[in-house]
Amino acid sequence: MRVLRWVVLVAAVLLAVGVSVAVLRIGPRNVLGMIRYDHRKEGDLRPGVAAPDVTLVSLDGKTPVRLSEHVGGKPLILVFGSYT
């Protein structure tokens, strides 16, 4: 029984050390970001398929804008990126 406890304790310590090293290499903020925000779904976007309706925030940071409100006769281009 004592040997089993010793083996379990050593395995737990090795697991804790391994997880700690992985978190330090990836970065704690990146790990938290992956846990909180990485809920991607496989999409089916192809040319000619309607884009999913989403709500974005306008440049003033307050006004919500729905994509479906701006789809019409003219092409709609969305650009996501950093302009800093």
Side-chain angles (χ1 to χ4, degrees), residues 31-75:
V31 171
L32 289 175
M34 287 188 292
I35 292 170
R36 290 181 64 194
Y37 299 111
D38 199 13
H39 300 285
R40 296 176 285 188
K41 297 177 189 170
E42 189 68 31
D44 188 31
L45 291 178
R46 298 180 313 274
V49 174
D53 191 23
V54 295
T55 302
L56 305 172
V57 179
S58 68
L59 292 176
D60 66 7
K62 298 175 185 173
T63 310
V65 178
R66 290 181 59 117
L67 179 64
S68 62
E69 294 172 356
H70 298 281
V71 174
K74 296 180 183 177

